[in-house]
Amino acid sequence: MKFFLDTADVKSIQKWAETGLVDGVTTNPTHLSKEGGDPKKKIKEIISILPKGDVSVEVTEQKPEAVYKQALAIAKISKNISVKIPCHIDYYPVIGKLAKEGVSINVTLVFTAIQAAMMARLGVHYVSPFIGRLEDIDVDGMQLLPEMREIFDLYGFKTEILAASLRSVLHVRDAMLAGADVLTLPIALFEKMVQHPLTDRGIEMFNADWKKLGVKQFP
Ligand code: G3P
């Protein structure tokens, strides 16, 4: 199981990378636009924080031929980049071609297990189902993950399931139970996951009780 951070916020990535739990980062045009500045520079900064991590960078071109060229240019920035391409029929030939050429592709905006299976057939590295966005339209997004897991295992697909658009700690638990290979987490959700009020309270209580003993040095 791997954890990615779903952000382009360099300071937060730096901070949470120290936990040793961050295996990569997923960016998208929204995240990069929010941070401002030169997106290529930002990507390089992220890679310098996680030199062995996997960093997803999304294409911004629209026409398939331009997407193909841009994907190659993005992949050239660093060997640990996965290129995000939307799961749209117009891009299927390009996705298959790039996958065959050895480019690590993360197919984004996946909303059905069938889309995911088709992308696995094309040999992509990751498929990213957007759980929260399905729930936004009252569809059971989480149901997708066990379906995808079952199909991938049944057919021996090596494509990794990257659970995206996760919004809550319960989503995280359910994605883990469903066997997602990667969970990409917004910073606020990662912060929630790594803390528990009862752990904090327990530490305070142990400290208070220990002080009562009056021992200066232990052991
Ligand atoms: O990685 C996908 C993610 O950025 C989308 O999340 O919460 O905008 O649906 P959200």
Side-chain angles (χ1 to χ4, degrees):
M1 182 208 299
K2 290 182 275 188
F3 294 119
F4 289 179
L5 294 177
D6 192 29
T7 185
D9 174 358
V10 171
K11 272 196 189 142
S12 296
I13 295 167
Q14 178 87 60
K15 176 178 171 189
W16 295 110
E18 285 171 15
T19 59
L21 283 170
V22 180
D23 303 296
V25 168
T26 49
T27 67
N28 61 33
T30 305
H31 293 327
L32 286 164
S33 164
K34 192 173 155 207
E35 296 307 313
D38 175 1
K40 187 173 173 185
K41 217 174 130 197
K42 197 72 62 190
I43 297 299
K44 286 186 168 174
E45 274 181 77
I46 294 170
I47 288 166
S48 72
I49 299 168
L50 293 168
K52 289 187 184 149
D54 192 304
V55 179
S56 284
V57 181
E58 190 157 340
V59 293
T60 54
E61 293 288 347
Q62 317 275 296
K63 293 194 174 134
E65 189 51 32
V67 164
Y68 175 73
K69 284 188 188 149
Q70 192 186 26
L72 289 178
I74 290 172
K76 261 196 196 148
I77 298 174
S78 168
K79 61 178 181 339
N80 51 343
I81 281 186
S82 291
V83 182
K84 273 172 108 173
I85 302 180
C87 192
H88 190 279
I89 179 62
D90 289 356
Y91 305 133
Y92 285 15
V94 164
I95 290 170
K97 194 171 174 208
L98 288 161
K100 275 202 187 77
E101 288 169 0
V103 177
S104 174
I105 302 291
N106 173 359
V107 178
T108 188
L109 294 167
V110 169
F111 294 100
T112 68
I114 298 169
Q115 282 182 309
M118 291 188 294
M119 293 305 108
R121 269 282 318 273
L122 292 179
V124 303
H125 191 161
Y126 301 106
V127 282
S128 293
F130 274 33
I131 308 304
R133 291 206 191 172
L134 277 169
E135 293 185 353
D136 288 344
I137 56 162
D138 297 321
V139 174
D140 183 357
M142 197 49 74
Q143 180 58 30
L144 252 189
L145 294 179
E147 287 176 6
M148 285 171 58
R149 184 74 279 154
E150 193 173 338
I151 293 168
F152 282 23
D153 291 347
L154 196 56
Y155 290 90
F157 291 137
K158 298 285 174 253
T159 296
E160 294 185 62
I161 300 170
L162 192 163
S165 184
L166 299 174
R167 308 262 177 82
S168 67
V169 176
L170 288 178
H171 274 166
V172 172
R173 182 202 62 185
D174 290 345
M176 286 175 176
L177 284 171
D181 298 290
V182 189
L183 284 79
T184 191
L185 307 153
I187 295 297
L189 181 51
F190 192 82
E191 279 175 4
K192 258 194 195 167
M193 272 169 56
V194 296
Q195 294 177 59
H196 198 284
L198 290 180
T199 305
D200 299 344
R201 177 81 190 110
I203 291 170
E204 279 168 23
M205 283 164 66
F206 285 145
N207 284 343
D209 289 342
W210 186 251
K211 271 187 195 146
K212 290 180 202 157
L213 194 59
V215 172
K216 291 248 179 322
Q217 195 179 332
F218 175 77

